[in-house]
Amino acid sequence: MLKVHGHCNLACRYCYLYEAADHGWRDRPATMSDAVLDRTTARIAEHAAAHGLRDAALVLHGGEPLLAGADRLGRAVELLRSRVPDGCRVHPIVQTNGTLLTRTALRTLAGHGIKVGVSLDGGLAAHNAARVDHAGRPAWSRAVRGLRLLAEEQPDAYAGILAVVDPRTDPLETYASLRALRPPRLDLLLPHGNWTAPPPGLTPGADRATPYGDWLRAVFDAWWDGGPGQPRVRLFEECLALLLGAPAGGESLGLTPFTAVVVETDGSIEQVDSLKSAYEGAAATGLDVFRHSFDEVLAHPGIAARHAGAAALAPVCRACPLVRVCGGGQYAHRYRHGSGFANPSVYCADLQVLIRHAAERLARATRGPAR
């Protein structure tokens, strides 16, 4: 994941990067320099050659990456392609808030084979009340204009929509509104909270309410029962795959090691930036692309802890019958001041609701009609 631009033209009220515990972005350059980009692509190529990689996923991220300009993103991708070994395919995607998508930018991105993912929390303005610019003005109209341009004019580049779950919204209305935007894929993300800084609507330990699990369960049924034309929903697909004993490579569920690493605008190498929601410096490694290889990153204790599987989980998680599906939940969501990440997810009860419901629907489908 390349942080090609460290600032954003929006000021979303729930943003884990700018509004949460870590403020390291303030001390970094706004834009990734040519020197950092040159060294980063060399390091990726070095890693691909050392391990005989056939594929390398590249996420162009921020901040808002399009503040760096579509042409610059295209040059970065072509530089990497020119350096990786023959037979290694680069799969680039830019994750954008959509407000800077224009016909020209989309043609440029598509011309370089860069897929476009758009962050949008629902298909109606009311679903995106937290997504505002620095003057407090709603970003909805600009974002949806860009997304519709993408869907209509560059459909092959349309990677999908990333939406943060808000249990205060109607789940069926939200899902239907997102479907209307024709995403080939939909990522439903739980807000980045933890036991010390709980997500909206949860009071850990105070009750057994499961607002996020109930919301996801309702959307799961709409997706499952919706027939042809449903988008791929990564959270649901991974849950079903894990229930069937197949591996799943995402960050939200399962015990498969998560293999993403972040290069910041100054060349610092960090763990995934969802950790910035936990505490100041949680994602830091002390490594950078000028002095360290990605093999050295793999040996970092913070990275290694995420590759330990069930052994790294809290005892209550290891004893849970759902552990191979849940995987303890997303790493950042386990944090509690004083005990670190050796805790169940703050969304433990919510994840149980979703997993048990998906298991029930799967069991009914595989049993077939009663005779």
Side-chain angles (χ1 to χ4, degrees):
M1 183 181 292
L2 266 61
K3 296 282 187 165
V4 290
H5 205 286
H7 293 177
C8 189
N9 60 329
L10 298 187
C12 301
R13 296 189 177 102
Y14 58 71
C15 182
Y16 66 90
L17 186 58
Y18 303 113
E19 301 295 331
D22 191 296
H23 298 98
W25 62 273
R26 293 175 175 168
D27 300 322
R28 293 192 172 102
T31 305
M32 181 175 282
S33 69
D34 290 341
V36 171
L37 186 58
D38 178 77
R39 194 60 179 153
T40 302
T41 54
R43 287 294 191 191
I44 296 172
E46 171 189 65
H47 195 70
H51 294 275
L53 299 185
R54 309 295 296 178
D55 299 277
L58 180 72
V59 182
L60 303 164
H61 211 275
E64 170 48 53
L66 283 173
L67 286 172
D71 287 330
R72 183 169 175 75
L73 302 187
R75 290 195 299 272
V77 168
E78 296 307 328
L79 178 60
L80 179 58
R81 285 189 177 127
S82 72
R83 289 180 161 178
V84 295
D86 291 342
C88 179
R89 185 179 177 192
V90 177
H91 303 269
I93 181 172
V94 59
Q95 189 64 41
T96 173
N97 61 38
T99 60
L100 301 179
L101 289 175
T102 63
R103 286 184 173 87
T104 300
L106 285 168
R107 280 196 297 268
T108 299
L109 296 170
H112 292 284
I114 301 173
K115 298 281 190 178
V116 181
V118 178
S119 299
L120 202 70
D121 296 335
L124 300 175
H127 300 152
N128 296 274
R131 301 182 65 82
V132 297
D133 66 16
H134 292 274
R137 297 170 298 197
W140 161 254
S141 59
R142 287 170 288 157
V144 79
R145 185 185 308 121
L147 190 146
R148 286 174 175 152
L149 272 177
L150 169 63
E152 292 165 8
E153 302 199 5
Q154 299 292 344
D156 290 342
Y158 190 3
I161 294 175
L162 183 154
V164 175
V165 173
D166 183 350
R168 296 169 298 181
T169 62
D170 182 284
L172 300 184
E173 177 191 71
T174 302
Y175 179 60
S177 71
L178 287 166
R179 272 197 64 203
L181 296 171
R182 296 177 284 163
R185 182 167 176 157
L186 180 59
D187 279 357
L188 297 173
L189 302 185
L190 295 170
H192 289 315
N194 54 63
W195 294 95
T196 299
L202 280 188
T203 307
D207 55 45
R208 292 290 292 175
T210 53
Y212 292 90
D214 297 340
W215 194 97
L216 288 169
R217 178 173 54 188
V219 175
F220 182 93
D221 282 341
W223 174 76
W224 181 278
D225 297 328
Q230 305 302 309
R232 300 187 65 180
V233 180
R234 181 164 65 173
L235 180 63
F236 299 160
E237 289 185 347
E238 289 181 351
C239 183
L240 293 168
L242 289 160
L243 286 166
L244 291 167
E251 189 181 9
S252 298
L253 296 174
L255 293 167
T256 302
F258 190 60
T259 55
V261 70
V262 175
V263 179
E264 291 283 355
T265 56
D266 62 355
S268 299
I269 301 172
E270 296 202 335
Q271 301 178 67
V272 289
D273 55 2
S274 58
L275 289 176
K276 295 177 187 290
S277 63
Y279 59 89
E280 187 81 44
T285 65
L287 309 177
D288 64 72
V289 294
F290 295 101
R291 298 175 297 155
H292 304 98
S293 71
F294 287 125
D295 273 349
E296 291 175 273
V297 180
L298 284 168
H300 184 274
I303 302 290
R306 308 220 28 202
H307 289 201
L313 300 180
V316 67
C317 292
R318 293 199 299 271
C320 178
L322 301 181
V323 64
R324 293 199 175 277
V325 180
C326 171
Q330 192 163 341
Y331 194 71
H333 300 165
R334 305 176 202 168
Y335 177 73
R336 186 197 297 267
H337 180 70
S339 59
F341 297 93
N343 306 287
S345 169
V346 73
Y347 291 108
C348 176
D350 296 273
L351 291 173
Q352 288 190 48
V353 166
L354 172 63
I355 294 167
R356 294 185 188 279
H357 184 70
E360 179 185 344
R361 294 302 309 263
L362 185 60
R364 272 192 270 159
T366 53
R367 281 196 302 265
R371 293 180 182 272

